[in-house]
Amino acid sequence: MNTTDRLDLVISGGTVVDASWSGVADVWVRQERIVAVVAAGTEPPGGTDRVIDATGKLVMPGGVDAHCHVGYTSGEYTSRDGYRECTIAAVFGGTTTIVDFAIPSPGEVPLEVARRQRALAGDGVCDSALHASVVEWDDTTEEQLRTLVDEGIVTVKMFTTYRDETMASADTILRTMRALRELGGMAVVHCEDNSIIEEDQRRSAARGEIDAAHMGTTRSELAETAAVAEVIALAESIDAPVYFVHQSTPAAVGLSADARRRGVKVYTEAVAHHLTLDAGLYDGDDPERWVCCPPLRPADRVAGLGELLTRGEITTVSSDHCCYDLRQKEAHTHDVREMPNGLPGVETRLPMVFSRFVAEGGLDPRKFVELTATNPAKVNGIHPTKGALMPGSDADIAIWDASTRWTITADTLHMATDYTPYEGIEVSGRPETVIVRGTVVVHDGALVESGARGRHVPAGRLDPDAWLV
């Protein structure tokens, strides 16, 4: 790109943090893209329309949240946000790209559901990509997958749980993996063994312990590790890549890490609440506020998961955002089988992870960017358009004040719900300015550009024979 033309924006004097390097520099922006990253104080030859002084701040790529459920319906409940509400919350939290799911209800056609969900992207204030989903293989599935990949949707989610809703059989998972491998796509799998969960829940009900306070015993750790082991075996048998969402225990991550060392292309996602909250919350007041799948785990498992993150065994950190409200969470608190599972988190993902692991734990900010922006973009086929600060990348940028201390409360957040699982937690670090494709949308705690500017970001084909990160 020509760097002699007039610029739209210069971000000056901040510490630029990309996954591969960091240093004090200026970022030049024109026509929605980054055109150069230059030595601090370099005068743009053609001038600029606006300068943002980022001295003393961290200048990072906007986050990529690869696990968001927007307006998601499960059973009798639909989460409270649409694309506008979800993406407003996202940008306040420093995320500038979300990846949503197009999950068919029984009888729906995956391709049609994906196209319907993709059409909503324009309602957002930032961009979005999309995972498709397959529940049952039939004689149309392979052609649907081919069309999805051609249309820029290359990741396909499947569940090993939720019988009669979204659960896919082992045969469906294997066939879908095989087809995606040939097409340049990848399977994304929610791993909990349904038979074990049903037995866990039967026993819990027999003891009179099927309420929210006993959520941890209704979906055991064994259910997760059993399903992970089976899906790894399926992937390994046909040399197909696989991405595991919300791995919640050191044992599950360990199975994936061992497979990677054997050469299996396995990618591990952890989510913010499994890294920062523990099962002790089920013992306190209002345990329904923390009902999610997989459940929160004991404190020693949370600590072990954090150690694996710092050792590099986790590929991405997402939110698994499901924006239910208290009325929905409280309706069936006596029976977790009837409750909506999921926590609101698209806005709090980056502040919680930054505070716990960077500010408190000493994690290199470059690793933070890798986990929360660069790797999510890579494994979803949208890098370097997203998740990077390099010439040609979209100018999605978050300017962070790493020194600020603030307390998370529901009434100061922007998600379309009346609670947060992080209520009252004090954290360090917060984005103060957030830029979407060159336009400042958040500044000093205010939404300064509220227009719908979201676009669907088509993914490129993935190379099944190469490690993506």
Side-chain angles (χ1 to χ4, degrees):
M1 291 186 179
N2 190 342
T3 58
T4 62
D5 293 340
R6 187 170 183 83
L7 301 175
D8 299 324
L9 174 66
V10 170
I11 301 168
S12 70
T15 299
V16 173
V17 183
D18 210 18
S20 59
W21 75 281
S22 65
V24 177
D26 292 352
V27 180
W28 291 2
V29 175
R30 186 176 60 251
Q31 294 180 354
E32 302 189 347
R33 299 289 183 92
I34 295 170
V35 297
V37 179
V38 300
T42 302
E43 194 69 27
T48 184
D49 292 338
R50 181 176 183 180
V51 175
I52 296 176
D53 183 3
T55 302
K57 307 297 193 303
L58 301 178
V59 180
M60 298 191 280
V64 178
D65 191 341
H67 196 149
C68 290
H69 296 279
V70 185
Y72 176 55
T73 298
S74 178
E76 65 181 283
Y77 297 102
T78 299
S79 60
R80 295 302 193 188
D81 55 0
Y83 269 69
R84 178 170 177 79
E85 294 84 2
C86 182
T87 56
I88 286 175
V91 294
F92 272 102
T95 288
T96 54
T97 306
I98 64 167
V99 189
D100 188 19
F101 295 84
I103 299 173
S105 299
E108 290 189 310
V109 177
L111 177 60
E112 294 176 359
V113 175
R115 286 172 169 171
R116 184 176 70 217
Q117 198 75 359
R118 181 182 61 192
L120 302 175
D123 295 336
V125 301
C126 68
D127 292 344
S128 57
L130 194 63
H131 305 288
S133 180
V134 167
V135 176
E136 185 175 8
W137 186 274
D138 63 28
D139 58 7
T140 71
T141 304
E142 186 165 5
E143 189 56 36
Q144 288 186 64
L145 293 173
R146 185 180 307 279
T147 302
L148 284 164
V149 171
D150 287 344
E151 295 183 5
I153 301 171
V154 304
T155 47
V156 177
K157 187 175 186 180
M158 290 170 287
F159 296 79
T160 65
T161 186
Y162 305 123
R163 191 186 303 278
D164 300 325
E165 291 186 51
T166 56
M167 189 174 87
S169 68
D171 182 65
T172 290
I173 293 171
L174 182 65
R175 289 182 178 212
T176 302
M177 281 181 170
R178 183 189 298 117
L180 288 170
R181 188 197 186 287
E182 299 308 314
L183 294 169
M186 181 166 62
V188 174
V189 188
H190 172 139
C191 277
E192 292 179 289
D193 184 279
N194 198 70
S195 295
I196 295 175
I197 287 170
E198 288 175 343
E199 179 63 13
D200 289 339
Q201 294 178 342
R202 184 193 67 79
R203 292 177 179 177
S204 293
R207 294 191 301 265
E209 297 178 348
I210 197 68
D211 59 314
H214 295 91
M215 179 63 188
T217 60
T218 67
R219 304 182 85 92
S220 64
E221 296 180 32
L222 179 60
E224 183 174 356
T225 54
V228 168
E230 180 180 18
V231 173
I232 287 174
L234 295 175
E236 190 167 10
S237 73
I238 57 172
D239 193 25
V242 62
Y243 178 96
F244 289 117
V245 295
H246 51 48
Q247 293 202 299
S248 69
T249 69
V253 175
L255 288 171
S256 299
D258 288 344
R260 279 194 294 274
R261 283 187 274 275
R262 296 196 304 273
V264 188
K265 295 175 179 64
V266 176
Y267 304 95
T268 290
E269 173 194 90
V271 295
H273 50 263
H274 288 140
L275 288 162
T276 60
L277 302 175
D278 67 65
L281 291 164
Y282 295 132
D283 298 329
D285 297 334
D286 308 313
E288 65 278 355
R289 298 185 180 204
W290 294 279
V291 168
C292 55
C293 292
L296 300 183
R297 302 302 190 186
D300 63 330
R301 307 297 197 275
V302 176
L305 200 64
E307 290 175 7
L308 289 168
L309 181 144
T310 60
R311 282 165 40 190
E313 300 288 11
I314 290 171
T315 315
T316 67
V317 175
S318 301
S319 70
D320 195 3
H321 171 76
C322 283
C323 197
Y324 298 113
D325 64 15
L326 286 177
R327 186 188 67 79
Q328 294 172 310
K329 298 293 280 188
E330 292 169 353
H332 295 290
T333 188
H334 63 287
D335 190 339
V336 297
R337 296 169 297 186
E338 304 297 325
M339 284 188 65
N341 293 295
L343 308 179
V346 70
E347 186 172 358
T348 47
R349 171 185 72 120
L350 295 182
M352 279 297 301
V353 174
F354 184 91
S355 183
R356 183 66 54 87
F357 291 97
V358 180
E360 299 171 21
L363 186 73
D364 190 319
R366 293 174 297 177
K367 185 66 175 178
F368 171 78
V369 166
E370 178 184 284
L371 289 164
T372 62
T374 306
N375 282 357
K378 285 182 176 180
V379 297
N380 286 284
I382 57 174
H383 182 271
T385 301
K386 303 296 185 183
L389 296 180
M390 62 177 65
S393 298
D394 283 354
D396 293 343
I397 301 165
I399 302 173
W400 282 68
D401 183 345
S403 64
T404 190
R405 294 281 294 174
W406 60 288
T407 300
I408 296 174
T409 59
D411 60 359
T412 58
L413 296 175
H414 305 83
M415 293 178 286
T417 181
D418 52 359
Y419 91 103
T420 170
Y422 305 104
E423 185 74 31
I425 295 177
E426 188 178 21
V427 293
S428 295
R430 190 174 197 172
E432 65 174 25
T433 301
V434 180
I435 297 160
V436 175
R437 298 201 323 272
T439 296
V440 176
V441 294
V442 170
H443 185 64
D444 285 343
L447 188 69
V448 297
E449 175 56 60
S450 60
R453 56 184 292 104
R455 299 185 305 195
H456 169 75
V457 184
R461 283 176 167 81
L462 308 175
D463 182 353
D465 296 319
W467 287 100
L468 303 173
V469 297

